[in-house]
Amino acid sequence: MPVQVTDTHEDLPKERQKFIDDALRLAEDVSKNQTFNTVQPLLNFWAAFSPSNEIRTPFGLYREGTELRGVYYAYPEVGRAACDSLEDQCDYPIFLGNDPMYGGLGGDFTVITASILNGPLVLRHELGHSILEVGEEYDGGYAYFGSNAGHDTKDFPWKRWLSNPSRINEHGGPRVERSVMAMQAYPWTLLNMTTPWSISFSSSGTYERYSIQFSLSGIPDKDDLRVTLDDIDLGWEPRSAVGMDRWFYNFLSSVKLSPGTHELKFHLLNDKNEGTAQLCSAEILEYGSEEEFVMVPGYYGLYPTYSDVNQTSYRPTNDDCLMRLVTSPNFCKVCLETLWLNLLKNVSFIDGINERCTEPSDSSAAMIQTLHLDLLPLGHLRKPHTVISESYTIFWEKDGRQLIQHTNQTEINIDDDPVGEYTATVRFSTHEVKVDSPKLQSKLSYRVVSSCSTRGVS
């Protein structure tokens, strides 16, 4: 996965070093953080620095208005040519923009920024789009597809991951967790001291709990903003060290909203923040009781997701996936399984088979001839060993005949009649993948043309 930089540089060596530092920081975070930890042996990162000027960047990176959300590219053909020049070092190209604020994009090219706070979070989320080929899980979007999206309560991709398959509705199908979107908006509005930004919404009063979710930028201090619901202060506080960057906030109430109309307001309190303080998004969801809507982390069921036009699709968990909450450190199990399978498209578990001739400890004995299987460091070969349950199963054949005595051996002795074609078949299993896929098996053949006694020691 190569990373590219595009932005202003007055001092080329200085900008190059900044790119290297940013790229290394992000690559180490995404490979060593718990999100991608289990698939780390399948990842390699390559960096290529592309200097540019502020007016015209090589890939044409740009934002729309004041939005701290998508960062788009105008010249995909330039990006494709750059990727092609790196040949097999460019499976998932990443454009790294020299910008300190939140933003990104997934797809053919993953786009991220150098934001200290949000860069790693956005990178994980956008790689989810690019590698997993899935859509969103958060409300207010339009792209809901792939293994984490369901559009039919009777047929959806994660049935094998359901926590309680016996939890069914009156028709005998999996029960949908009861919730409703009372309000959802992407204002992308600059706040001012004159008039608070406000929005009214209605509640039926038939749900037991509710949450208020919103994101802000350009508001670094607690005394800069007051957020109220029906004129009651929510006690908002900024995320530590957020500065002027964007961040997401969630207020969960254990009491119900009363039936009727309610009003959510954002009051800017510091005139010094006019022109930078921005309300990015706001949403209010209502939930049924604990029995009607399971919020317990790790529970897999059918959770409604509401699009920008309030159409309903379904996701596997409540808030357990970074494809729903960019601030979450984890993929859900459904997405993690897809991550494994998609990364394995272009990967073999077998790096090679090496033939060796070694002298025995007894000088009167014949030389020892062996075949050694070099495998990706998974299963018992992981260093350090992870707590996940995974293993290799290894089968050997010679000229089409199974060598049962060498099952699960990475090194086999072939002193007796060594000449012939040897085939190693390696199957990988992990509790993070429940499907039976051909991507979990690799095979490699190697021909031995002579015995060690005719060649000497190598």
Side-chain angles (χ1 to χ4, degrees), residues 228-243:
T228 63
L229 177 65
D230 298 334
D231 296 324
I232 298 175
D233 194 336
L234 296 180
W236 170 82
E237 293 186 10
R239 198 265 194 194
S240 176
V242 69

Side-chain angles (χ1 to χ4, degrees), residues 62-68 70 72:
Y62 67 95
R63 297 183 186 271
E64 291 186 347
T66 62
E67 289 189 12
L68 293 182
Y72 306 95

Side-chain angles (χ1 to χ4, degrees), residues 355-377:
E355 182 182 354
R356 296 175 182 170
C357 295
T358 56
E359 289 184 340
S361 55
D362 183 353
S363 59
S364 63
M367 284 185 290
I368 300 172
Q369 191 164 354
T370 58
L371 294 181
H372 180 81
L373 194 60
D374 286 333
L375 302 176
L376 289 181

Side-chain angles (χ1 to χ4, degrees), residues 41-62:
L42 308 182
L43 304 178
N44 288 299
F45 289 86
W46 306 87
F49 174 64
S50 297
S52 63
N53 57 55
E54 186 173 7
I55 304 302
R56 183 179 176 87
T57 65
F59 308 115
L61 299 191
Y62 67 95

